Amino acid sequence: MGQKEALVLQPETVERLSKLYSAVLCDALDHAGFRTQALSHEIRPLFADATTVGSAKTLLSVQNSTFAERPYEKELEALDALALGEVVVIGGQGDMSAGVWGGLLSTAARAKGAVGAVVDGLTRDAAGIRDMRFPVFARGITPYDSHGRSEVIAYDVPVECGGVTVQPGDIIFGDFDGIVVIPAALLQSTLEWAECKARGERIVEEEFRKGRRVADVFAEHGIL
């Protein structure tokens, strides 16, 4: 695949999303009838306060025990095609044989303007990634290199990641609770509904702090 024209989120949209959290975005998507938009709970951040908001740059990786004549070819192409504000999303098809992400790729991705990586599989160089504070979410950690074990075979294609189909340009939101995929066409309605719900949750929280009866507050606001 070649370079595509990336969907770039406007700074004000990123700012609005950054004030939210994965749970309320899931609630918004539930409300719209999209009830399976959170990735598997097994995909976790490498450090507790890792967060990411951006559009998906999708990569498809498969298990491959052969030693490619031109190793990492598609992965390098994908990294060089990254655009400002993108999140690398790697669909690994259940492959847990090696780290398809690592510290040097994190450095390269950040330099290109990427804002995170989500890996349905393993990463390596975890301590270095944590130290550089690049938001990476993965199923686990390994020292194994992907050469002769795994291979990126395509990018800018739909991929399954953590049980969710991710289209190039979908909106990725990740925090400590998990990663949510917002279909690009639903971004505005999801954002507006989530902001409204978050305002309601703040009101309910204040009522709970006053010690009011929980059932009464729920009856009044319908939020829990």
Side-chain angles (χ1 to χ4, degrees), residues 48-217:
D49 56 345
T51 60
T52 190
V53 180
S55 52
K57 177 74 172 184
T58 58
L59 284 69
L60 176 61
S61 180
V62 299
Q63 192 165 2
N64 187 349
S65 60
T66 63
F67 289 89
E69 191 173 315
R70 300 174 67 178
Y72 318 114
E73 182 177 14
K74 287 295 181 184
E75 191 166 23
L76 299 179
E77 281 184 15
L79 268 288
D80 279 330
L82 273 170
L84 183 68
E86 288 190 310
V87 177
V88 176
V89 178
I90 302 178
Q93 298 190 330
D95 176 24
M96 302 287 280
S97 64
V100 295
W101 194 257
L104 292 177
L105 294 181
S106 294
T107 299
R110 171 171 279 171
K112 296 288 186 180
V115 293
V118 177
V119 184
D120 192 351
L122 305 179
T123 187
R124 63 184 200 159
D125 308 322
I129 293 171
R130 178 197 62 204
D131 290 345
M132 68 183 286
R133 311 298 290 174
F134 186 72
V136 172
F137 299 74
R139 284 191 184 270
I141 301 166
T142 181
Y144 282 126
D145 180 43
S146 62
H147 186 41
R149 297 185 177 93
S150 302
E151 181 182 8
V152 172
I153 60 171
Y155 60 95
D156 294 341
V157 296
V159 298
E160 183 174 316
C161 185
V164 179
T165 299
V166 182
Q167 302 285 343
D170 281 351
I171 311 309
I172 305 299
F173 183 101
D175 61 16
F176 189 71
D177 275 1
I179 304 103
V180 181
V181 180
I182 306 171
L186 296 178
L187 173 58
Q188 194 59 38
S189 60
T190 299
L191 180 55
E192 291 173 358
W193 198 96
E195 287 175 329
C196 183
K197 174 77 183 298
R199 287 193 293 270
E201 288 184 351
R202 289 192 291 271
I203 293 170
V204 168
E205 182 179 19
E206 286 303 311
E207 295 300 294
F208 283 166
R209 288 183 188 277
K210 296 173 185 176
R212 286 190 59 193
R213 188 170 178 266
V214 174
D216 290 343
V217 175

Side-chain angles (χ1 to χ4, degrees), residues 20-51:
L20 298 171
Y21 35 96
S22 58
V24 77
L25 289 168
C26 271
D27 290 350
L29 289 162
D30 277 354
H31 177 76
F34 290 75
R35 298 182 57 82
T36 56
Q37 294 302 120
L39 304 194
S40 168
H41 64 277
E42 295 178 345
I43 299 178
R44 301 298 301 151
L46 289 189
F47 50 97
D49 56 345
T51 60

